[in-house]
Amino acid sequence: MPTTSHSGKMPLEATVIPVTPLRQNCSLLYCVETMKGAIVDPGGDIPLILDSITKKQVRVEKILITHGHFDHCGGAAALSQILGCPIIGPHPDDQFWIDQIPENAQQYGFEGESFTPDQWLKDKDEITLGEERLLVRHCPGHTPGHVVFYNAASHLAIVGDILFRNSIGRSDFAGGDHQALIQSITEKLWPMGRETVFIPGHGRPSTFGAERDHNPFVADSVLGLMP
């Protein structure tokens, strides 16, 4: 399956790799200057991910996880073993979801392994990719330990399942909280800027500005916010 890229001669670039029958957006993030990078949310289809790494000639040094649902991290343990790199994230409040990966994946006919991250994340942590930095924001609501990764220099965010083009994440799973989800979007994502491009956990990228204008769940006009 071909991959798509967020590009435009930015210092940090992303190649999106849809994986598993759920078409989860695994991302290959890399610093253009050094070609050092990370895989975000390897839910499965490890050969596809490895092929993308080879084609882009990226030296993957980290595996980053936005949240503990199996379609986002079911392949993290296997990929970590193959690449010899650490698993970083999410926030520790999602350990219970990570523990359930094998059972939850099996219900959908998938395979997945549970794990304990080499490093948990908290709000305002920073992750280095070559010469670039990712700001971590803890964004509960879809899951209690969900995190988002943001690179200011490239106006790029990886938001997992809290926000989508014209939609928002579900909050009816264990540990979900609709009000917390809305607060995460408006208080953590919107300050990143209207021009920021975000890669959601499923579906096509968008910008925060477009969602503030048109998203039927969190548009400024819907929530009564000032643009």
Side-chain angles (χ1 to χ4, degrees):
M1 172 65 65
T3 59
T4 57
S5 294
H6 164 79
S7 186
K9 297 182 180 179
M10 296 293 187
L12 188 79
E13 293 197 355
T15 293
V16 180
I17 313 161
V19 297
T20 83
L22 295 178
R23 313 311 295 150
Q24 191 277 124
N25 287 333
C26 172
S27 295
L28 171 60
L29 291 182
Y30 56 96
C31 166
V32 174
E33 183 67 26
T34 64
M35 295 307 289
K36 295 179 180 179
I39 288 289
V40 186
D41 285 359
D45 290 336
I46 301 301
L48 191 63
I49 296 171
L50 293 173
D51 183 60
S52 183
I53 293 170
T54 300
K55 287 180 177 177
K56 290 290 183 179
Q57 298 183 317
V58 175
R59 180 164 31 142
V60 173
E61 298 181 330
K62 303 173 175 74
I63 296 170
L64 307 179
I65 306 297
T66 62
H67 65 292
H69 286 165
F70 73 89
D71 58 323
H72 288 257
C73 59
L79 188 63
S80 175
Q81 185 172 16
I82 292 169
L83 297 177
C85 58
I87 301 172
I88 300 175
H91 183 281
D93 285 352
D94 265 17
Q95 180 67 68
F96 78 101
W97 274 115
I98 295 172
D99 292 340
Q100 298 176 47
I101 286 174
E103 295 81 7
N104 291 337
Q106 188 176 34
Q107 291 179 10
Y108 287 81
F110 300 170
E111 293 183 358
E113 297 179 57
S114 57
F115 58 90
T116 299
D118 296 280
Q119 177 187 339
W120 293 108
L121 294 172
K122 63 182 184 300
D123 195 48
K124 298 184 180 179
D125 278 348
E126 285 194 343
I127 296 169
T128 300
L129 295 182
E131 297 183 357
E132 292 304 308
R133 294 182 180 275
L134 296 175
L135 173 66
V136 176
R137 299 310 314 260
H138 179 212
C139 294
H142 179 64
T143 67
H146 198 299
V147 298
V148 162
F149 303 105
Y150 170 60
N151 177 251
S154 294
H155 306 291
L156 175 66
I158 310 294
V159 304
D161 280 356
I162 69 169
L163 180 69
F164 303 99
R165 178 186 287 259
N166 293 322
S167 189
I168 59 174
R170 293 177 60 174
S171 56
D172 57 335
F173 295 120
D177 183 323
H178 179 75
Q179 187 56 40
L181 180 70
I182 300 300
Q183 289 180 329
S184 290
I185 293 169
T186 58
E187 297 177 9
K188 302 286 183 70
L189 300 190
W190 289 174
M192 295 176 186
R194 293 178 59 89
E195 72 282 3
T196 294
V197 174
F198 71 91
I199 298 173
H202 306 264
R204 296 166 56 196
S206 181
T207 66
F208 292 147
E211 301 313 304
R212 294 188 70 169
D213 289 340
H214 305 297
N215 191 302
F217 299 94
V218 288
D220 292 346
S221 59
V222 173
L223 298 180
L225 300 177
M226 294 295 292

